[in-house]
Amino acid sequence: MKVTLSALDTHESSFTPLVVIELAQDVKEETKEWLKNRIISKKKDGGAQLLFRPLLNKYEKETLENQNLYLVGASKIRLLLGAEAVGLVKECNDNTMRAFTYGTRHTFKGFDDDNDDFLTMAECQFIIKHELENLRARDEKMIPGYPQAKLYPGKSLLRRLLTSGIVIQVFPLHDNEALKKLEDSWYTRFTIKCQPTDSIRGYFGETIALYFGFLEYFTFALIPMAVIGLPYYLFVWEDYDKYVIFASFNLIWSTVILEVWKRGCASMTYRWGTLVMKRQFEEPRPGYHGVLGINPVTGREEPLYPSYKRQLRIYLVSLPFVCLCLYFSLFVMMIYFDMEAWALGLHESSGSEWTGILLYVPSIIYAIVIEIMNRLYRYAAEFLTSWENHRLESAYQNHLILKVLVFNFLNCFASLFYIAFVLRDMKLLRQSLATLLITSQILNQVVESLLPYWLQRKHHMQVKRKVQALKADIDATLYEQVVLEKEMGTYLGTFDDYLELFLQFGYVSLFSCVYPLAATFAVLNNLTEVNSDALKMCRVFKRPFAEPSASIGVWQLAFETMSVISVVTNCALIGMSPQVNALFPESKADLILIVVAVEHALLAFKFILAFAIPDKPRHIQMKLARLEFESLEALKQQCSVPFTHLWNLMPVALADTHSDCLAPTQQVKLATENLKEEWREGEKEKAP
Amino acid sequence: MKVTLSALDTHESSFTPLVVIELAQDVKEETKEWLKNRIISKKKDGGAQLLFRPLLNKYEKETLENQNLYLVGASKIRLLLGAEAVGLVKECNDNTMRAFTYGTRHTFKGFDDDNDDFLTMAECQFIIKHELENLRARDEKMIPGYPQAKLYPGKSLLRRLLTSGIVIQVFPLHDNEALKKLEDSWYTRFTIKCQPTDSIRGYFGETIALYFGFLEYFTFALIPMAVIGLPYYLFVWEDYDKYVIFASFNLIWSTVILEVWKRGCASMTYRWGTLVMKRQFEEPRPGYHGVLGINPVTGREEPLYPSYKRQLRIYLVSLPFVCLCLYFSLFVMMIYFDMEAWALGLHESSGSEWTGILLYVPSIIYAIVIEIMNRLYRYAAEFLTSWENHRLESAYQNHLILKVLVFNFLNCFASLFYIAFVLRDMKLLRQSLATLLITSQILNQVVESLLPYWLQRKHHMQVKRKVQALKADIDATLYEQVVLEKEMGTYLGTFDDYLELFLQFGYVSLFSCVYPLAATFAVLNNLTEVNSDALKMCRVFKRPFAEPSASIGVWQLAFETMSVISVVTNCALIGMSPQVNALFPESKADLILIVVAVEHALLAFKFILAFAIPDKPRHIQMKLARLEFESLEALKQQCSVPFTHLWNLMPVALADTHSDCLAPTQQVKLATENLKEEWREGEKEKAP
């Protein structure tokens, strides 16, 4: 994205803007100057040593309105040194994955001093973000010009600037050329093909590429279930033995696909280098607060918050609150069923047109209430989790995901469970399942991607017209791009996308033996979902910062839990089917015992299967073992470097003990003295 | 153990023998000479640089018979360098645990150049074993004098010597003084006190100390169960609600104790340094064979055996064989029950004295058959596992443990399960449980410790008398010790000890609600078991080599699995109790459904509990995080050392880009050239 700004001074000719910083409108000149200095000054002076420039020069500022946009870039060497600092792992010429270091850069595949392709743009932006976030206060007590924005040594400047509202946002820029290319290989041509995960990873980073990889894998994995489920619908198979076959296949299949995904994911992230990437020490998340103290791990000054207080908040406030919400959700569901029964009763007793319409009222009210509850709960969960004051962003995310997951699970499936196990109305279950699955899928795609895309386009046109009207005389490509992108929505992470897939997996697997067609619908949905999600990433939202990740994390656990629950529900459903009941006409107890035994056997088999399938493919295991072996050997080498002479020196004292007349303690002392001296000399040599 | 050999030449005066090597009687002089040279020669010449000496000098050899015993020792510096090579972790002066290096030895707690206490004797012996095992073939094609004992570069000499029968055994020596001290603090004074785990670890190493730590912890953890169980026996409580309370307490308790053990174990092994000790790259186990090739991980030449062949052997031969054995064991059990029924029938129809005796015959036959089956199966399992040709000792052990565990579980508990769930005779169950538990415990202690100890003492006396008769004129303390110890049995690892505890845990937890007294018996047994096991370690067996380990490994999993199974059995037992059945007089199906629901809830609660309790205590987590943080920081420092000047150099090219007129690509080139030169100079400086 070599956009040249012809309108700018010629001696600032070539500069690749990677990241945009938007300041508040009323930021003082003093602060701007200070920030600029900190960003461009040398590393040894506590700066980030990056390139920094306002979007507009002085002449333009007077005519255009956005005076608070700044561009950040970096020279190539700076980026390479940054890559070393963040611990990026790249492929070497001998096909191994190693942490990149500047000194050994020529041993890496595709590296060339004249070549810019070595680091992907997503990596460059990630490096710049990392460097900006690691710009730390030195002796400043506050941000110049803002006495209320307090600083202490080691505090991340960017985080304080963001929390005190001086910096409004920091976001990476799109690269229109690369984006066009990515879109072409991704979704604009409507053919069924594999997701270009490597290109997505190059443009958006590993976390998002993993989501699309998982979405694609999951869709393919559902196809066998869809194919087996289809004849059940076409030929109206209702025999219990066929359902048993389908359910058994389903259960084993869902275990296998989750295990195989782990392996595929490991292969993928090994290739990307994130599997072996050393996790950087995590900084406290922006909202974290506490009494200033010394972090026992890093030795740096930072806010501390006692862990027991957090535990108290979690177990005494959050947990009861979540339980209460769950109870309330069940309560609302019961009211819905009561209303439904009441409406049905009314309609049956006085079958007029009016009461016919009344039949739909409970469902509509319930759907609206569920939507409202979901949203309210989401806010409450975010508030509570942030109030729990987790130090790490990852811990915050995990607690939030857990809270939201449990509630969403109950909200989506409680009514189905009620219909299945209390009302025991399989026809109604099938009907509700189909309605819920299909409407939620269609709604999701419209609300999530198509609608925002349409709004986005409208806004886009407006801005374009405005820019053209205002400054028809200058080439304002970059200006237009930045102004457009800064107004785009922010992508809040893969949470909602995974949640959607998780619920879909629930619809498919929990009641699979009652409604085998669910998998078919899920496959059809996902084939378009891939495209609408891609559209959303490319055109609706601001480009997100790349985030390295080695797996889908807590979602793997969530999907596995769902597949365990589905064993229980499917066994129960089969046990309740009239065909199976007909086999045990006299004794229901025997039937239940057999079903329970089968269920336990299936669960045990599932755990054994999950245990027996290795989480990483053999070739990855070998490569990881090789890496570990090499690092151990290197450590030995390194340790023994100052002592290579030692091994030659020792025999004087040791091997000759046999014939030596000195008392051993004396010998030891002698040898030790020699060693000490050698060591001291070695130390001196090393010091400059 | 500064045993001076006054009978030896005076100039070999002080030598601490740590390890004994016993050669075969007919080993050629040429081979002995070669072995000696390899052991004492310098490291750079491919030697082990250890001290090596025959037990007897030439004058004695003529009069005494054991001419093939050799002593191995090492000087203090050699041991310290060895400690660095094996990656020993020790406590520093600032209370952190760090890998020991010779260069930084003065920063470690308790280190003093004049002091011998820094390394425990167990550690010294472990280091010597490691060095001996890492003595590798260079260009030798065979062991001198033994053309059939082939070598290839990199092959461990000691392993080849052992497999070709030239070396009969290698074992560490006891230290009689330290042993006496250990015994005093351990078991000779009969007071109830904590196990001296730190002293045991110092003398026997971490694996054995962990076993005794676990045994003690487990005993203490059983006490609450024993205390709660006692009144059930004393007051003959038979109400189902009391049993429900006991069983529920039991289930939660068993989950909690296993989780808490993990935490305690982590604290302990952190203190010992094994929790953070880097696992060394494992060598192939002695019996491993295959076609010579290049190990893809190490790049060394070694036998290779394709993994798919091993998988085929496991899944096509071992697995069916184990299943067959399990089936056979069940079959034998059924015959036993048939015989029992037949004998009872015979006795009832014609109640004579003869048939009264006949009643005991089936039990006796069954007990004998079980014992025979156990032994035969053990041999078969060892043969099969070794035939599976695992590369690593750990993999071999895991597969063996799994095989033996499954069979033993079935053999011990199948009859109880049959009585409980098929015969549904709770009285018989209680009776069988008590008989099995108590007899197995008494038998074990006698067969395992007391009998061997008695035999050992007898043998001891014989040897002593013999030595005194032969050489009353020389001080033969060391000679006597070595000759005595070489004849002692070899301790085969903690497998049987853990297995015993595992089965005991099964007796206590599987049917706890039927027989609450089991925990009391288990506690009583363990209080003496600790002492008899300690006696066994100190007096019956050869001293084993110390083995560092960070946890009880696969046994944790085994105990957890047992506690999951016990949830199922206890729920089923309570569901079957007449009191509970009386609550649901008309519908057995409802009863079963409720029991199953409770069981599922308990299992879910168990998993959540196990998930919610962190595996490591917070202070250990902090310390581990600190270590990781430091190693990351060190890595950064290290990487940037050759580039400290780089950061000062860069600004010329980077920070001035703003005002510089050069095209950026030119600038990059310029800076890169500078860097390259600097780098080359740096490299030159480092090279001597």
Side-chain angles (χ1 to χ4, degrees), chain B residues 213-229 246 249-250 252-262 501 504-505 508 519-520 522-523 526-527 559:
Chain B
F214 182 69
L215 175 56
E216 179 190 30
Y217 172 82
F218 186 63
T219 308
F220 277 119
L222 282 179
I223 288 179
M225 263 151 83
V227 168
I228 297 181
F246 184 73
F249 170 78
N250 214 335
I252 293 165
W253 186 243
S254 68
T255 312
V256 170
I257 59 172
L258 289 175
E259 288 299 311
V260 172
W261 163 253
K262 257 192 245 170
L501 276 188
Q504 186 189 70
F505 184 58
V508 171
T520 315
V523 169
N526 289 358
L527 288 180
F559 275 79

Side-chain angles (χ1 to χ4, degrees), chain B residues 213-281:
Chain B
F214 182 69
L215 175 56
E216 179 190 30
Y217 172 82
F218 186 63
T219 308
F220 277 119
L222 282 179
I223 288 179
M225 263 151 83
V227 168
I228 297 181
L230 215 52
Y232 284 81
Y233 175 74
L234 295 179
F235 307 127
V236 203
W237 286 348
E238 298 258 339
D239 319 330
Y240 88 96
D241 51 347
K242 294 213 179 67
Y243 276 128
V244 169
I245 290 170
F246 184 73
S248 316
F249 170 78
N250 214 335
L251 298 179
I252 293 165
W253 186 243
S254 68
T255 312
V256 170
I257 59 172
L258 289 175
E259 288 299 311
V260 172
W261 163 253
K262 257 192 245 170
R263 294 164 63 92
C265 178
S267 292
M268 205 145 70
T269 51
Y270 177 81
R271 199 173 64 226
W272 294 341
T274 46
L275 189 65
V276 288
M277 189 169 171
K278 282 248 174 203
R279 203 168 46 82
Q280 293 288 312
F281 188 79

